[in-house]
Amino acid sequence: LVDTPAGKTLTIDLNGKTVTRKDETNQYALRNLGTLTIQDTKGNGSINARGIYNGYGNGGENVASATITILGGTFNAKGTNGGAAIFNYGTANVNGGKFTSIGGYSLNNQAGAKMNITDGVEVTGGIYNNQDAELTVDGGNISINRSGCHTIYAWNAKVTVNGGSIHNENSGNATIMSAGTSEVTINGGTISIANGKSTNGWTSCLIDAT
């Protein structure tokens, strides 16, 4: 596990290389408590692990000031029972890269955290937005094709969509689920669902479940 301590700044260039944890289904690749930038100047670089922690410290001590910026690379969350490419407890600026998962949402924005998604980002395993978290989507392509999962699931959280494409290929779920006291604002972008409408009574694309 690579640590960026609080107050420190680190830039990692994947440089076209692949980083794989030995126990990729259970071990996290990185834990950032400071300011971390990940780039991939040569392209085709990737990280295969249970994911990356941003702002999550030892003993569960969260560091809200932790900031991670992703400029490129492919991030594959390999946890078969949960796990996310990024578990964010601070601020995550996702300005590039591809994010996949097999056992949970690809991006997980935890309580009180902030996450910003811009053009050039590809998320194929959806986003979970937890209690009091803020998610802003300015661009990119966000999708999911997994039974029981919504493309963006907001639980007592805030979601603002200004652009990009958000799609659910599994029509048994919603594209954006606004649950509890969540606030969802749509200013632009394309929001779609397979077959135009869900098959189990959910409203097409956007659901307000209080």
Side-chain angles (χ1 to χ4, degrees), residues 35-208:
T35 301
L36 173 64
T37 300
I38 301 178
Q39 60 190 31
D40 183 26
T41 54
K42 286 190 175 180
N44 299 318
S46 64
I47 293 179
N48 303 311
R50 188 173 175 85
I52 294 172
Y53 270 143
N54 181 59
Y56 184 85
N58 289 321
E61 180 183 356
N62 299 341
V63 180
S65 61
T67 300
I68 188 170
T69 300
I70 307 293
L71 301 177
T74 298
F75 303 84
N76 301 309
K78 295 292 189 175
T80 54
N81 182 23
I86 299 176
F87 262 106
N88 179 41
Y89 294 80
T91 297
N93 299 311
V94 186
N95 300 331
K98 299 179 180 179
F99 304 85
T100 75
S101 57
I102 60 176
Y105 285 93
S106 292
L107 297 176
N108 194 313
N109 206 26
Q110 280 295 306
K114 295 182 179 180
M115 181 177 289
N116 307 299
I117 310 289
T118 64
D119 276 336
V121 174
E122 183 176 340
V123 182
T124 58
I127 302 174
Y128 182 71
N129 202 36
N130 204 358
Q131 185 83 32
D132 296 322
E134 296 182 15
L135 171 66
T136 302
V137 180
D138 290 319
N141 293 294
I142 304 168
S143 64
I144 202 167
N145 187 1
R146 185 176 299 147
S147 178
C149 292
H150 313 290
T151 313
I152 294 178
Y153 187 5
W155 175 254
N156 299 327
K158 182 178 181 180
V159 177
T160 303
V161 179
N162 298 316
S165 173
I166 305 171
H167 179 71
N168 196 330
E169 191 58 33
N170 189 314
S171 60
N173 302 102
T175 306
I176 299 178
M177 167 65 82
S178 173
T181 59
S182 292
E183 177 185 335
V184 176
T185 303
I186 310 294
N187 297 318
T190 301
I191 302 171
S192 59
I193 195 167
N195 304 317
K197 188 175 182 180
S198 62
T199 58
N200 66 348
W202 296 121
T203 307
S204 177
C205 293
L206 180 63
I207 299 171
D208 185 6

